Amino acid sequence: MAAADFNWEDPLDLESGLGEDERMIRDAARAFAQDKLMPRIKTAFREEKFDRQVMNELGAMGFLGVMTAEAYGGSGLGYVAYGLVAREIERSRPTAPRPRRRNICRGWRPVKSSAASA
């Protein structure tokens, strides 16, 4: 009996459940993390400082407010996109200073609450 192949990059086989749009979001977040974050992480970690420009670039890519509706300035992409973006950003280097996961969807609940009451 042959042993089953185990994919260490995707141990739960989440890839098979992603749609084309979700793959594009994941790929964009991965490219951003590798091309923009990785080169700066070692320096930021050594100097013990956070590069504020990272947050500006995350916002420009639409990765801040992923779950916030477009009407309120967010991307309106939902939970799956949020998880994919957070996973790729955190993959860049888990021990380095980075925006916390909550920053990716910051403002979603207050906006949703105020929109529902309006």
Side-chain angles (χ1 to χ4, degrees):
M1 180 175 194
D5 291 329
F6 185 79
N7 182 355
W8 288 98
E9 291 294 316
D10 188 13
L12 300 176
D13 193 28
L14 299 175
E15 179 70 24
S16 66
L18 297 178
E20 187 60 33
D21 289 343
E22 293 163 337
R23 285 189 181 99
M24 288 182 358
I25 291 165
R26 187 232 20 235
D27 292 345
R30 182 175 291 169
F32 176 82
Q34 290 176 350
D35 299 342
K36 302 286 185 178
L37 292 181
M38 294 286 271
R40 296 187 237 176
I41 286 176
K42 195 178 278 187
T43 302
F45 190 66
R46 285 184 182 155
E47 296 176 6
E48 297 181 5
K49 68 178 185 178
F50 180 77
D51 183 359
R52 174 67 175 93
Q53 187 62 26
V54 168
M55 297 302 286
N56 296 341
E57 292 172 13
L58 283 167
M61 291 290 295
F63 295 151
L64 295 180
V66 170
M67 296 188 309
T68 303
E70 290 182 64
Y72 298 104
S75 303
L77 298 173
Y79 290 106
V80 173
Y82 161 72
L84 294 170
V85 170
R87 180 179 174 201
E88 295 304 327
I89 298 300
E90 291 171 357
R91 183 190 306 251
S92 62
R93 180 135 182 236
T95 59
R98 66 190 182 280
R100 294 199 182 269
R101 200 174 251 230
R102 69 175 178 256
N103 290 337
I104 294 173
C105 66
R106 178 167 283 184
W108 176 74
R109 289 179 192 245
V111 168
K112 187 174 180 184
S113 297
S114 64
S117 64

